[in-house]
Amino acid sequence: MNVDSSAGGVAVGERWARADGRARVRGELRYAADEPVRACREVAVCRSTRPHACIAAVATERAAAVDGVVAVVTGGDLYRLLGERIFTGPAFTDQPCLAVGKVRYVGEPVAAVIAHTAAAAREAADEIEIEYDDLPPVHDVDAAVEGGAYVHEELRPSSVFGDLRHLHGVRDTNVNYEYVLRKGDPEEAARGATHTVSGEFWCPPTHHVSIELPYTAAWPEGDRLEVLTTTQTPSYVRQSLADLLELPLNRVRVRCAPLGGGFGAKMYDRLEPLAAALAWTQRVPVRIAASREDAFLLTTRHGAAVTGSMAADADGAIVAADADVRYDTGAYADVGPRITAKSGMIANGPYRIANAGVRSRCVYTNKPSAGPFRGFGVPQVTWAHESLIDELARERGEDPAGFRRRTLLREGDEAAMGTPMHSADFTACLDAVTEAVGWDGPLRREDGRLRRGRGVAVGIKAVLTPTISNATLQLNQDGSATLLISTVDMGQGSDTIMAQIAAEVLCLGEGRVRVVTADTDVTPYDTITAGSRSTYHTGNAVRRAAEAMRDKLSALAADHFGVARTDVKLTPDGLVSAQTQRTVGISELLHAHFGARGTTLTTEAEFTTSWAPYDKETGRSPQVTEHWFAGAAAVRLNVDTATGRVHIEHLAVAGDVGHAINPALVEQQLTGAAVMGVGHALFDQLVFDEGQIVNGTLLDYQLPSVKDMPDRLTPIIVESPHRTGPFGAKGVGETAIIPLAPAISNAVRDALGIRFTRLPLTPERILTALHDRDTEGGTA
């Protein structure tokens, strides 16, 4: 496919240095907590010690008497001031910033202390006494589905997701949302299959562990509220706070700084509602600086249980696939219903499947709220379908890579949920990673107590659709440009990518386009910085704004030369008239037009995507997404049968990025996602005891270290340009993490002959499985 580069620029496809790279590695970049703001009072919270209980009484007198305390505020206090508006959330308005009436997880904030120092705030928070009337808790997602004890009395859909309105007032359930997909009759088709595999799979909840901790400062400024916060969603936060305080949007300002990692942990309602409510009702500037222990309680990745099956006929065609998915969303739904549908719909994988069925449910439990995490719930279902197809290939006696290659969706094929494939080259990704690890080459399978194996997996994900992005571009008289967008750079390099897109159109050099950090008083609306949507959505808005600027310059140059506009072309040397062969630089042109130095020319653009809602009966849609992500991972590893340790010798990951705007940043994103995926496969898990996190510190929560990294890690760029992407491009931030865990598990299966169905693959789990195999046989 031809990628339009008619602008003639020299930016797209270049390995420009990350705009903030030097400042990040030298510790010179200012994050939100480093920014100078008004002198703020410190906030500490008193948290619930019960997983599910009515609040009988909250005694705050001793806390209020602590020296330096300004105020002690309970959920009841805020409810009396704000009423039902205290309940916020993107899918359901179910989460109060301080518990009202009852608590729903261990660690839920019940009261807040405002004090002059952090030490005084913490001391006072410890003095708050809470009396509870315990309620039956529900900790297990499948027990929650059965009901009996209910986390919420009724469902309260928010105004953000209009498609949930029909759930208003539903009672006596912990299932807040359900997505069902039906194509054909998978049950009947499976009965005629020659080979069928099935399994019960589990992905535990995990934590994001972004290096920068959540932080919010808020203060009244006259009749306005000012907020500085660590968020991936400044536009959403402004609207949420305006609703909370009944203020017009122009009286709420939300600004950001570059984030030190996000991965979904800094989206939607986190610290902002509490900080805003305290600052506005108490008329005092406050700041909330989360500790690492606090961060573990703010949000998690969804734990997910999947019951799945897959069947093939005598010719090796996949005739049926079925998946029952239960996402554990914790005490509050957050964006769980979206994850349940957007991830559930591809729970059978990127394969040609004659008959498919999915039932995907979002389930409340008495645990901390789960929310978005890199991959948006897709890695959990990929863990199941890539284990199943691997086992199905082995049951048939086929090579797992070859079986996938035969059955993968191709360009134009219709996926099970009804949407055709475009710019999703699964086969090229699969071929690239298997070739990289020497899939067909010799392998020394036994080496003393080591056992070697190879594994592969393929991933698919839909981009968030529909969403909106806007861009405003200011071209300065000196030929430099300022780009205003609300995409938040959190280490993924979006500022650099957007600068390159604008620079490509305007023929500007490296460093000539500066991106303004998100500030709702200045930068225009953007739905969200997440889901790998920014390169495509914001990138298209930026390209349109830049093309509008190019058109303005061409018009000015045509007047300057006295020629038709079609006679003018923008080049790296300036604007050139083909008729007169005259050239004028941007700086000279603007100076001549305005008659002054330091002037600016401004354009703006919007990019909006659309979708076709799911059919109510089948769950299918002809356009469920604007575009697809395609990726694959292959691994060669060894397992120490004496210790249970897995050591990765070579890991290759590939992602179809459409067209790489900056190949260096693409490779970094593929590598970073792969490393995170290694953690999820071998280490990461939140451990709960009766609803309480028992490893909620970095002393106890195990992450991979540099010694756990693969001996060799190969990121591979696959380019299948998207017809409507900016220069053919699309995102890549999540692509590599999606197939990682099953690729590693499939390699362990190849090495040991044991199929694991629960993550992570810890040494203890592997040793137990080896013992069970040697004594009984079976899976783990």
Side-chain angles (χ1 to χ4, degrees), residues 722-775:
H722 195 282
R723 54 179 167 254
T724 56
F727 302 99
K730 55 186 182 179
V732 69
E734 300 164 297
T735 306
I737 197 173
I738 291 169
L740 242 293
I744 291 172
S745 180
N746 291 338
V748 173
R749 163 70 170 86
D750 188 52
L752 302 179
I754 301 173
R755 170 62 60 192
F756 288 85
T757 59
R758 298 179 70 87
L759 290 175
L761 306 183
T762 61
E764 295 82 2
R765 180 161 285 152
I766 289 175
L767 288 176
T768 299
L770 286 170
H771 176 268
D772 292 345
R773 182 197 63 182
D774 294 340
T775 56

Side-chain angles (χ1 to χ4, degrees), residues 150 387 445 495:
Y150 300 108
S387 297
R445 292 193 170 274
D495 283 359

Side-chain angles (χ1 to χ4, degrees), residues 200-218:
E200 298 274 350
F201 298 89
W202 171 248
C203 277
T206 59
H207 186 53
H208 306 69
V209 200
S210 52
I211 297 300
E212 180 200 26
L213 290 166
Y215 170 91
T216 300

Side-chain angles (χ1 to χ4, degrees), residues 43-240:
V43 175
V45 297
C46 175
R47 298 184 180 276
S48 166
T49 58
R50 303 290 204 278
H52 197 198
C54 291
I55 300 172
V58 182
T60 62
E61 294 80 9
R62 290 172 58 183
V66 172
D67 187 42
V69 168
V70 175
V72 182
V73 181
T74 67
D77 295 333
L78 290 181
Y79 185 81
R80 283 186 286 275
L81 293 169
L82 303 174
E84 292 293 311
R85 302 195 310 277
I86 192 176
F87 295 95
T88 63
F92 295 91
T93 52
D94 57 0
Q95 184 165 10
C97 52
L98 293 174
V100 176
K102 74 174 188 175
V103 295
R104 294 178 172 88
Y105 68 93
V106 175
E108 181 168 12
V110 177
V113 175
I114 305 171
H116 288 283
T117 67
R122 288 193 296 268
E123 179 185 348
D126 290 340
E127 294 293 336
I128 296 173
E129 296 181 353
I130 306 168
E131 295 180 17
Y132 300 99
D133 292 329
D134 289 321
L135 297 168
V138 55
H139 303 308
D140 177 76
V141 67
D142 286 328
V145 169
E146 293 300 320
Y150 300 108
V151 179
H152 292 270
E153 287 68 35
E154 67 176 21
L155 302 184
R156 305 160 48 105
S158 79
S159 60
V160 179
F161 298 161
D163 58 311
L164 302 181
R165 283 193 298 265
H166 67 286
L167 297 172
H168 180 77
V170 172
R171 303 178 67 87
D172 297 332
T173 184
N174 289 314
V175 178
N176 59 61
Y177 181 81
E178 180 171 345
Y179 166 81
V180 176
L181 169 68
R182 275 289 174 266
K183 177 192 176 187
D185 190 340
E187 293 82 4
E188 178 63 28
R191 281 193 281 271
T194 57
H195 296 86
T196 301
V197 295
S198 61
E200 298 274 350
F201 298 89
W202 171 248
C203 277
T206 59
H207 186 53
H208 306 69
V209 200
S210 52
I211 297 300
E212 180 200 26
L213 290 166
Y215 170 91
T216 300
W219 60 95
E221 190 75 55
D223 67 346
R224 304 186 75 219
L225 177 72
E226 299 262 349
V227 179
L228 171 65
T229 188
T230 53
T231 184
Q232 298 170 232
T233 52
S235 298
Y236 169 89
V237 169
R238 180 175 70 150
Q239 182 67 68
S240 179

Side-chain angles (χ1 to χ4, degrees), residues 437-445 452-454 636 649 750:
V437 301
W439 184 266
D440 296 319
L443 181 67
R444 185 179 179 184
R445 292 193 170 274
R452 285 191 175 84
R454 288 179 288 225
R636 186 180 72 244
E649 297 173 348
D750 188 52

Side-chain angles (χ1 to χ4, degrees), residues 418-457:
T419 301
M421 291 292 115
H422 169 60
S423 180
D425 200 338
F426 301 105
T427 305
C429 292
L430 174 67
D431 290 345
V433 296
T434 51
E435 180 181 358
V437 301
W439 184 266
D440 296 319
L443 181 67
R444 185 179 179 184
R445 292 193 170 274
E446 295 190 17
D447 186 3
R449 67 190 197 188
L450 301 182
R451 299 293 181 270
R452 285 191 175 84
R454 288 179 288 225
V456 68

